Amino acid sequence: MIAYKYDKSFEGLLSAVFEAYASKKFPDVLLGENDLPPLFCDEMVEIVTDEERSTRVWKGLERRISKSALYTLPDCWLSELPDVDMLIFRYIRKAIDASQSIEMNFGDPDVMQLAKIWRSVIKERERVMQFVRFQKTADGLFFSCIEPAFNVLPITLSHFIDRFHDQKWIIYDAKRDYGFYYDLTTATEVHFDDKQWDDRGFLSESVADMDEKLFQQLWKGYFDSMAIKERLNPRLHKRNLPVRFWKYLPEKR
Amino acid sequence: MNDNVLEKLKTLAESAKYDVSCASSGTTRGHKAGMVGSASGWGICHSFAEDGRCIALLKIMLTNYCMYDCAYCINRRSNDIKRATLSVSELVELTMEFYRRNYIEGLFLSSGVVRSPDYTMERLVRIVKDLRTVHRYNGYIHLKSIPGASRELVDEAGLYADRMSVNIEIPNEQSLQALAPEKDFKSVFTPMQYIKQGSLQSIEERKHYRHAPRYVPAGQSTQMIVGATPERDKDILTLSSALYQDPSMKRVYYSGYIHVNTNDTRLPAVSKPPLVRENRLYQADWLLRFYQFSVDEIVDDAFPDLDLEVDPKLSWALRHPEKFPVDVNTADYELILRVPGIGVKSANLIVTSRRFGHISSWQLKKMGVVMKKAQYFLTCRELPIRTIHELTPERVKRILTKGSNNSMNTQYTIQFPDD
Ligand code: SF4
């Protein structure tokens, strides 16, 4: 059994593909830097993440599958699912070895599985776009906290920049403890040690805008009035608005 | 802004909520320099009310005072309810502040009729014009046109709104007049015509001149109340199908009748809205728009109402055993689409994947085909021969509806699939 050890980055994974083709030795398992080797491990290869190599693999893939299929791979990576790296590895290998593009071959279990993961990542991305709630601070910044199941903030940025391009904002992933700050020109990654918000993501009154509370009340008042009592349907409500997001929503306070 | 607005907002939201059209889809607008916001093609649901319905828009009335007396409407003149009116600036500020907080995708604005249709319409136009020109608001706007409003105002509104709607409410003119004495089909269909003409004209102009103004780029929609009057599903769907002939008509909504005015004897005293029927109508509407069904395939004189037990596609299949089984490895896309349990997505997957080799039932399952239903209507090499012919349509129906009787009485999933 052959094991590869790499830094658990997407570029690292592409470097591993390069190594496999260069040495003609394909891994049976992919390990992170601190993972223990499996039993019966015959060979352990340490992968160095290398920009040139990963770019070459990426470029090679561009010739074998369409751009839209290719870009689903880094999206799937964001799922952070335990075996997603091996799945992507196998997919890339099939894409390189096949005589025609494999992207539409949904009869192949790996192609199908990745298509499924991609759909769930994109679904989670949409949920972030749905359920981010900004609170205005006294100095006019709009702040939001959220805990997506997958690491999707990076792929929501273009949407939020497009929509809220004339206001400064922060969207913070409380689960992964990092976020993005948009300063009217670009969005940059940020991390806060000293948090100005409570464990439900609400800004403390000293930093919130004077009218912030009122608008949250207005929104909650509106939300409560919208339900038609003849049609109450808690099951559907929870399916559409998963409970894991409630914590940060002013209307569910 | 103050607490006073909170009371008004609650009152007016309460009054506006029975209008079911939640979709904000249809327009794509990236941000424009100096403008606030964008509208994305399919529209985003930002929250879900406790009845499960999507909240994408701030759905609100400018006022719930009304000089008309429509029997089915909670806001009618003769009702003793709490009334409120927002000022133009309050409404504009609410929209902007909600939008900037990512609470909403946009505004859905309607109003009761005060003084005259044009007086009311004029105020609605002022709000949308203010939002676009003064506040540079670039988010979504759905404006409900006031029945009987003049052409000038409808045309002006169309320059600022993404979508406009005029609700038919009652699918038959006699029934409508009995319930809404101040309205007739003319007051509904005339503004619809204005919107259609404005929209066609703008599309034509934009072909020649790129900067010609857009006119309701997301088209128009309408709504019919189901179960308030004796019309059959055939009447309703025939009207829908005729409406869809107009290219600017994007959606027809069906709203199960809710008995809000309990003292009105002209209306049936139903204790619960007919949710199953409403859902079946949406499914039939879906077949009209995306599954290449014609209305007389779904309902006809011999079969004027949709089957409440099974969805209209399955119902069609059960009445047409001669079309089945369909061989997924060779049949045309159109036929595959007719198989119960196969949707547009899986039909596409089947047609693209089969070039790579034969498709097995295991793969069909993976592609999202509901085999529980589909197995009686298709073949794919290794499937056992137990199709609708061996079993007869009656037995297939019995098998597929077994155990679902309870779910029909309990809560029903309402779907508002987006374009
Ligand atoms: S005109 Fe509209 S608001 Fe007025 S009573 Fe009729 S349906 Fe209700």
Side-chain angles (χ1 to χ4, degrees):
Chain A
M1 185 188 256
I2 301 173
Y4 275 20
K5 193 171 252 200
Y6 75 117
D7 65 354
K8 286 272 168 185
S9 72
F10 189 70
E11 288 68 32
L13 183 68
L14 294 183
S15 307
V17 173
F18 189 95
E19 174 63 30
Y21 275 91
S23 64
K24 305 228 162 38
K25 275 189 223 152
F26 291 90
D28 302 295
V29 268
L30 293 169
L31 302 173
E33 270 156 356
N34 300 321
D35 293 345
L36 289 174
L39 291 169
F40 314 115
C41 180
D42 305 315
E43 195 178 341
M44 169 82 88
V45 183
E46 302 256 354
I47 301 296
V48 183
T49 301
D50 179 308
E51 206 193 309
E52 200 198 310
R53 291 179 157 197
S54 61
T55 316
R56 275 180 62 186
V57 172
W58 183 261
K59 287 249 155 67
L61 283 169
E62 276 177 347
R63 287 194 302 273
R64 284 181 170 82
I65 54 176
S66 71
K67 260 219 159 72
S68 53
L70 184 55
Y71 278 93
T72 61
L73 300 181
D75 288 350
C76 290
W77 175 265
L78 295 176
S79 72
E80 299 174 332
L81 291 170
D83 288 326
V84 75
D85 53 353
M86 200 60 209
L87 201 55
I88 296 176
F89 193 101
R90 282 204 302 269
Y91 181 98
I92 293 179
R93 204 177 151 186
K94 283 176 184 168
I96 292 175
D97 295 348
S99 55
Q100 55 174 330
S101 166
I102 57 154
E103 62 194 76
M104 289 300 190
N105 185 8
F106 296 102
D108 180 296
D110 289 337
V111 177
M112 198 65 210
Q113 181 67 14
L114 269 185
K116 269 206 179 123
I117 292 177
W118 185 70
R119 272 204 299 277
S120 55
V121 170
I122 291 307
K123 180 85 203 153
E124 194 65 6
R125 167 177 181 260
E126 193 194 344
R127 287 190 161 134
V128 170
M129 283 152 53
Q130 293 175 282
F131 304 135
V132 150
R133 295 287 182 268
F134 288 117
Q135 304 160 66
K136 196 175 175 182
T137 67
D139 49 7
L141 177 96
F142 287 80
F143 172 80
S144 162
C145 223
I146 193 159
E147 282 179 37
F150 305 133
N151 186 15
V152 291
L153 280 202
I155 51 172
T156 62
L157 292 177
S158 61
H159 166 79
F160 286 112
I161 292 173
D162 189 52
R163 178 156 294 193
F164 301 109
H165 65 98
D166 78 328
Q167 67 194 50
K168 292 183 184 172
W169 48 256
I170 289 171
I171 300 173
Y172 206 76
D173 182 334
K175 196 160 156 187
R176 296 168 188 82
D177 200 15
Y178 85 107
F180 289 94
Y181 166 56
Y182 171 74
D183 64 358
L184 302 182
T185 17
T186 45
T188 29
E189 201 175 313
V190 286
H191 162 81
F192 298 110
D193 286 323
D194 156 38
K195 298 187 171 47
Q196 303 279 344
W197 58 87
D198 64 17
D199 55 359
R200 301 195 53 188
F202 289 94
L203 290 176
S204 60
E205 249 172 71
S206 57
V207 287
D209 181 76
M210 219 170 65
D211 280 342
E212 179 50 38
K213 211 165 170 189
L214 174 65
F215 281 108
Q216 286 183 26
Q217 281 167 353
L218 284 165
W219 172 240
K220 183 169 169 39
Y222 174 73
F223 173 85
D224 290 339
S225 321
M226 278 320 277
I228 295 180
K229 65 175 189 305
E230 289 85 347
R231 309 179 74 138
L232 287 188
N233 190 342
R235 249 200 14 238
L236 184 62
H237 176 63
K238 282 187 191 147
R239 196 172 72 213
N240 287 332
L241 186 63
V243 178
R244 61 196 168 91
F245 288 103
W246 288 14
K247 182 164 142 188
Y248 296 115
L249 299 172
E251 66 265 37
K252 296 303 286 182
R253 266 250 259 204
Chain B
M1 285 284 154
N2 51 38
D3 294 348
N4 193 355
V5 176
L6 180 59
E7 273 320 297
K8 289 205 252 180
L9 175 68
K10 281 187 190 163
T11 307
L12 292 166
E14 199 64 59
S15 283
K17 70 182 176 191
Y18 292 98
D19 203 318
V20 292
S21 56
C22 66
S24 71
S25 57
T27 334
T28 302
R29 257 205 304 236
H31 88 76
K32 291 193 204 124
M35 300 283 280
V36 186
S38 62
S40 42
W42 50 92
I44 299 170
C45 292
H46 285 279
S47 198
F48 292 88
E50 286 177 348
D51 52 21
R53 291 184 313 155
C54 161
I55 301 182
L57 306 174
L58 170 59
K59 188 185 286 184
I60 190 128
M61 297 180 94
L62 173 63
T63 177
N64 64 347
Y65 283 98
C66 190
M67 56 192 244
Y68 289 173
D69 207 35
C70 309
Y72 45 80
C73 176
I74 187 166
N75 302 310
R76 62 181 184 170
R77 172 182 78 220
S78 56
N79 274 10
D80 180 22
I81 56 162
K82 211 161 148 192
R83 308 271 174 180
T85 305
L86 281 167
S87 71
V88 170
S89 65
E90 282 167 343
L91 220 151
V92 167
E93 190 181 350
L94 272 175
T95 309
M96 291 306 294
E97 294 295 328
F98 278 13
Y99 192 81
R100 286 192 179 284
R101 285 170 174 74
N102 205 40
Y103 294 169
I104 54 168
E105 213 43 24
L107 173 67
F108 182 141
L109 182 60
S110 63
S111 182
V113 187
V114 280
R115 281 203 224 173
S116 73
D118 271 356
Y119 178 87
T120 314
M121 190 68 183
E122 205 259 329
R123 260 156 194 74
L124 296 182
V125 172
R126 214 157 78 205
I127 291 168
V128 291
K129 187 176 176 180
D130 249 36
L131 275 170
R132 292 280 194 235
T133 56
V134 180
H135 295 268
R136 318 294 298 162
Y137 169 75
N138 196 30
Y140 186 86
I141 296 179
H142 180 153
L143 181 68
K144 240 173 107 175
S145 182
I146 302 294
S150 70
R151 173 161 213 157
E152 290 67 37
L153 287 169
V154 173
D155 280 350
E156 193 183 358
L159 297 176
Y160 305 113
D162 290 281
R163 172 170 283 184
M164 289 217 271
S165 60
V166 193
N167 285 358
I168 298 172
E169 305 295 17
I170 303 297
N172 168 289
E173 182 151 32
Q174 276 91 46
S175 304
L176 174 68
Q177 288 217 296
L179 296 180
E182 290 98 346
K183 289 183 184 167
D184 54 20
F185 265 18
K186 186 166 159 276
S187 67
V188 175
F189 289 117
T190 313
M192 265 186 197
Q193 282 298 322
Y194 296 157
I195 297 169
K196 173 185 168 188
Q197 284 159 11
S199 148
L200 290 179
Q201 194 185 333
S202 147
I203 290 170
E204 198 47 43
E205 279 169 12
R206 285 170 63 84
K207 275 188 203 149
H208 304 293
Y209 179 55
R210 204 160 54 86
H211 296 290
R214 296 222 270 185
Y215 184 94
V216 286
Q220 58 177 322
S221 63
T222 189
Q223 172 180 281
M224 288 186 249
I225 298 175
V226 178
T229 45
E231 284 75 49
R232 318 293 294 257
D233 292 341
K234 176 171 169 281
D235 304 315
I236 295 170
L237 288 169
T238 306
L239 183 51
S240 302
S241 156
L243 288 164
Y244 284 133
Q245 300 306 308
D246 164 7
S248 72
M249 180 57 69
K250 301 299 183 206
R251 287 296 299 271
V252 175
Y253 291 90
Y254 308 91
S255 176
Y257 173 64
I258 297 173
H259 196 45
V260 283
N261 298 325
T262 41
N263 56 354
D264 200 312
T265 51
R266 284 172 294 175
L267 290 162
V270 289
S271 60
K272 263 193 209 150
L275 294 185
V276 180
R277 183 177 175 203
E278 176 191 290
N279 190 60
R280 294 286 178 239
L281 282 164
Y282 274 112
Q283 289 170 328
D285 186 272
W286 203 244
L287 294 183
L288 285 178
R289 290 185 301 138
F290 300 108
Y291 284 77
Q292 307 167 7
F293 273 78
S294 67
V295 66
D296 45 351
E297 286 181 293
I298 304 172
V299 276
D300 56 29
D301 287 329
F303 188 75
D305 288 308
L306 298 171
D307 190 335
L308 295 183
E309 277 183 292
V310 295
D311 69 75
K313 191 172 153 192
L314 178 57
S315 165
W316 178 84
L318 292 171
R319 280 176 289 139
H320 293 277
E322 76 281 2
K323 308 271 186 199
F324 300 99
V326 167
D327 185 341
V328 291
N329 283 304
T330 55
D332 288 342
Y333 172 79
E334 289 71 29
L335 259 180
I336 292 180
L337 205 53
R338 294 252 161 164
V339 175
I342 295 185
V344 174
K345 223 194 250 154
S346 35
N348 276 320
L349 280 179
I350 289 169
V351 177
T352 36
S353 306
R354 68 187 182 188
R355 287 182 285 142
F356 296 91
H358 271 277
I359 292 176
S360 64
S361 60
W362 179 82
Q363 285 165 319
L364 287 176
K365 225 180 256 163
K366 285 268 163 197
M367 289 172 188
V369 173
V370 186
M371 288 305 278
K372 210 184 90 188
K373 255 189 209 176
Q375 56 177 317
Y376 308 107
F377 302 95
L378 56 77
T379 54
C380 62
R381 283 195 155 180
E382 93 274 19
L383 267 192
I385 321 277
R386 222 171 78 102
T387 70
I388 185 165
H389 297 294
E390 289 73 35
L391 288 174
T392 73
E394 294 69 34
R395 275 202 61 199
V396 171
K397 181 170 179 177
R398 254 200 331 267
I399 296 170
L400 289 178
T401 50
K402 206 168 58 201
S404 69
N405 282 352
N406 301 337
S407 70
M408 270 183 41
N409 304 328
T410 57
Q411 283 166 335
Y412 209 81
T413 310
I414 11 160
Q415 284 173 323
F416 294 102
D418 261 318
D419 294 355

